Amino acid sequence: MARTVEGFEELRRNLEALQTQAARNALQLATRKAAQVVRDEAQMRAPERQDNRIKKTYKGNPQGPGYLKRHINVAVKYYRNTGIVRAVIGPSAEAFYGTQFIEVGTSRIPRKPWLVPAYTAKIGQVEATFVRELRAAIERAVKRGKVR
Protein backbone atom coordinates (compact mmCIF):
# COMPACT_ATOMS: atom_id res chain seq x y z
CA MET A 1 0.00 0.00 0.00
CA ALA A 2 1.87 3.08 -1.22
CA ARG A 3 1.03 6.40 0.39
CA THR A 4 2.60 9.84 0.18
CA VAL A 5 3.59 11.54 3.42
CA GLU A 6 4.12 15.30 3.35
CA GLY A 7 7.44 16.56 4.67
CA PHE A 8 9.04 13.15 4.40
CA GLU A 9 11.81 14.26 2.03
CA GLU A 10 13.01 16.83 4.57
CA LEU A 11 12.91 14.18 7.32
CA ARG A 12 14.88 11.77 5.14
CA ARG A 13 17.63 14.35 4.57
CA ASN A 14 17.79 15.14 8.30
CA LEU A 15 17.90 11.45 9.13
CA GLU A 16 20.82 10.89 6.74
CA ALA A 17 22.75 13.64 8.54
CA LEU A 18 22.62 11.70 11.83
CA GLN A 19 25.12 9.09 12.94
CA THR A 20 24.09 5.54 12.06
CA GLN A 21 23.08 4.47 15.59
CA ALA A 22 21.17 7.71 16.24
CA ALA A 23 19.28 7.33 12.95
CA ARG A 24 18.47 3.73 13.75
CA ASN A 25 17.19 4.67 17.21
CA ALA A 26 15.08 7.50 15.80
CA LEU A 27 13.50 5.23 13.19
CA GLN A 28 12.78 2.48 15.70
CA LEU A 29 11.24 4.88 18.20
CA ALA A 30 9.03 6.58 15.62
CA THR A 31 7.94 3.22 14.20
CA ARG A 32 7.09 1.86 17.66
CA LYS A 33 5.05 4.96 18.60
CA ALA A 34 3.15 4.80 15.29
CA ALA A 35 2.48 1.07 15.70
CA GLN A 36 1.16 1.63 19.21
CA VAL A 37 -1.67 3.71 17.70
CA VAL A 38 -2.82 0.64 15.76
CA ARG A 39 -2.26 -1.63 18.75
CA ASP A 40 -4.49 0.56 20.93
CA GLU A 41 -7.24 0.52 18.31
CA ALA A 42 -6.88 -3.24 17.87
CA GLN A 43 -7.22 -3.72 21.62
CA MET A 44 -10.49 -1.80 21.54
CA ARG A 45 -11.81 -3.82 18.58
CA ALA A 46 -10.64 -7.26 19.69
CA PRO A 47 -13.54 -9.53 20.57
CA GLU A 48 -13.99 -10.69 24.12
CA ARG A 49 -15.71 -13.81 25.39
CA GLN A 50 -18.90 -13.05 27.30
CA ASP A 51 -18.77 -16.02 29.65
CA ASN A 52 -16.56 -15.94 32.72
CA ARG A 53 -15.02 -19.35 32.20
CA ILE A 54 -11.30 -19.69 32.66
CA LYS A 55 -9.70 -21.87 30.00
CA LYS A 56 -6.09 -22.93 29.75
CA THR A 57 -3.81 -22.04 26.87
CA TYR A 58 -1.77 -24.69 25.12
CA LYS A 59 1.03 -23.83 27.56
CA GLY A 60 -1.28 -24.31 30.54
CA ASN A 61 -1.69 -20.65 31.50
CA PRO A 62 -5.17 -19.47 32.59
CA GLN A 63 -7.07 -17.59 29.92
CA GLY A 64 -10.18 -15.65 30.91
CA PRO A 65 -12.30 -13.06 29.13
CA GLY A 66 -10.19 -10.25 27.67
CA TYR A 67 -7.08 -12.40 27.25
CA LEU A 68 -6.78 -11.50 23.56
CA LYS A 69 -7.11 -7.76 24.27
CA ARG A 70 -4.37 -7.89 26.89
CA HIS A 71 -1.98 -9.84 24.67
CA ILE A 72 -1.78 -7.73 21.52
CA ASN A 73 1.88 -6.83 21.07
CA VAL A 74 4.07 -4.58 18.96
CA ALA A 75 7.43 -5.90 17.75
CA VAL A 76 9.81 -3.54 15.94
CA LYS A 77 12.75 -4.91 13.96
CA TYR A 78 15.57 -3.05 12.22
CA TYR A 79 17.24 -4.73 9.24
CA ARG A 80 20.85 -3.58 9.03
CA ASN A 81 21.53 -4.67 5.48
CA THR A 82 18.63 -2.63 4.03
CA GLY A 83 18.04 0.02 6.72
CA ILE A 84 14.37 -0.90 6.87
CA VAL A 85 12.42 -0.78 10.11
CA ARG A 86 9.33 -2.97 10.32
CA ALA A 87 6.62 -3.18 12.97
CA VAL A 88 4.49 -6.26 13.49
CA ILE A 89 1.26 -5.89 15.46
CA GLY A 90 -0.66 -8.93 16.60
CA PRO A 91 -1.53 -11.29 19.41
CA SER A 92 1.04 -13.23 21.38
CA ALA A 93 1.59 -16.88 20.53
CA GLU A 94 -0.80 -18.02 23.25
CA ALA A 95 -3.57 -15.79 21.85
CA PHE A 96 -3.09 -17.10 18.30
CA TYR A 97 -6.79 -17.86 17.99
CA GLY A 98 -7.46 -14.11 17.64
CA THR A 99 -6.05 -14.08 14.14
CA GLN A 100 -6.23 -17.74 13.18
CA PHE A 101 -9.89 -18.33 13.97
CA ILE A 102 -11.58 -14.98 14.56
CA GLU A 103 -9.90 -12.61 12.08
CA VAL A 104 -9.53 -15.10 9.23
CA GLY A 105 -12.31 -17.53 10.10
CA THR A 106 -12.56 -21.23 9.33
CA SER A 107 -14.97 -23.48 7.47
CA ARG A 108 -17.12 -23.56 10.63
CA ILE A 109 -16.42 -20.17 12.18
CA PRO A 110 -17.34 -17.07 10.15
CA ARG A 111 -14.64 -14.44 9.94
CA LYS A 112 -15.01 -11.39 12.17
CA PRO A 113 -12.17 -9.04 11.25
CA TRP A 114 -10.86 -6.74 13.96
CA LEU A 115 -7.12 -6.30 13.32
CA VAL A 116 -7.17 -5.15 9.68
CA PRO A 117 -10.06 -2.70 10.30
CA ALA A 118 -8.09 -1.27 13.23
CA TYR A 119 -5.18 -0.58 10.86
CA THR A 120 -7.31 0.95 8.11
CA ALA A 121 -9.19 3.15 10.58
CA LYS A 122 -5.97 4.62 12.00
CA ILE A 123 -3.66 4.85 8.98
CA GLY A 124 -3.82 8.65 8.85
CA GLN A 125 -3.04 8.95 12.54
CA VAL A 126 -0.24 6.40 12.17
CA GLU A 127 1.44 8.49 9.48
CA ALA A 128 1.04 11.70 11.47
CA THR A 129 2.43 10.04 14.61
CA PHE A 130 5.38 8.60 12.69
CA VAL A 131 6.31 11.96 11.17
CA ARG A 132 5.87 13.81 14.49
CA GLU A 133 7.89 11.28 16.49
CA LEU A 134 10.64 11.00 13.87
CA ARG A 135 10.97 14.77 13.73
CA ALA A 136 11.19 14.94 17.54
CA ALA A 137 13.76 12.11 17.68
CA ILE A 138 15.91 13.81 15.05
CA GLU A 139 15.78 17.09 16.97
CA ARG A 140 16.80 15.31 20.20
CA ALA A 141 19.71 13.60 18.42
CA VAL A 142 20.89 16.91 16.94
CA LYS A 143 20.75 18.55 20.40
CA ARG A 144 22.91 15.70 21.77
CA GLY A 145 25.46 16.24 19.00
CA LYS A 146 24.81 12.95 17.19
CA VAL A 147 25.37 14.54 13.78
CA ARG A 148 27.99 13.26 11.31
Coordinates of all heavy atoms in Angstrom, one line a residue, residues 2-6 8 127:
A2 N 1.0 1.9 -1.1 CA 1.9 3.1 -1.2 C 1.1 4.3 -0.9 O 0.0 4.5 -1.3 CB 2.4 3.2 -2.6
R3 N 1.7 5.2 0.0 CA 1.0 6.4 0.4 C 2.1 7.5 0.4 O 3.3 7.2 0.6 CB 0.4 6.3 1.8 CG -0.7 5.2 1.8 CD -1.3 5.1 3.2 NE -1.8 6.3 3.7 CZ -3.1 6.6 3.6 NH1 -4.0 5.8 3.0 NH2 -3.6 7.7 4.2
T4 N 1.7 8.7 0.2 CA 2.6 9.8 0.2 C 2.5 10.6 1.5 O 1.4 10.9 1.9 CB 2.3 10.8 -1.0 OG1 2.3 10.0 -2.2 CG2 3.3 11.9 -1.0
V5 N 3.6 10.8 2.2 CA 3.6 11.5 3.4 C 4.3 12.9 3.2 O 5.4 12.9 2.7 CB 4.4 10.7 4.5 CG1 4.4 11.5 5.8 CG2 3.7 9.4 4.7
E6 N 3.6 14.0 3.5 CA 4.1 15.3 3.4 C 5.3 15.6 4.3 O 5.2 15.2 5.5 CB 3.0 16.4 3.6 CG 2.1 16.5 2.3 CD 1.3 17.8 2.4 OE1 1.8 18.8 2.9 OE2 0.2 17.7 1.9
F8 N 8.2 14.3 4.2 CA 9.0 13.2 4.4 C 10.4 13.3 3.8 O 11.4 12.9 4.3 CB 8.4 11.9 3.8 CG 9.1 10.6 4.3 CD1 9.0 10.2 5.6 CD2 9.9 9.9 3.4 CE1 9.6 9.1 6.0 CE2 10.5 8.8 3.8 CZ 10.4 8.4 5.1
E127 N 0.5 7.7 10.3 CA 1.4 8.5 9.5 C 1.8 9.8 10.2 O 3.0 10.2 10.3 CB 0.9 8.8 8.1 CG 0.8 7.6 7.2 CD 0.0 7.8 5.9 OE1 -0.6 8.9 5.8 OE2 0.0 7.0 5.1

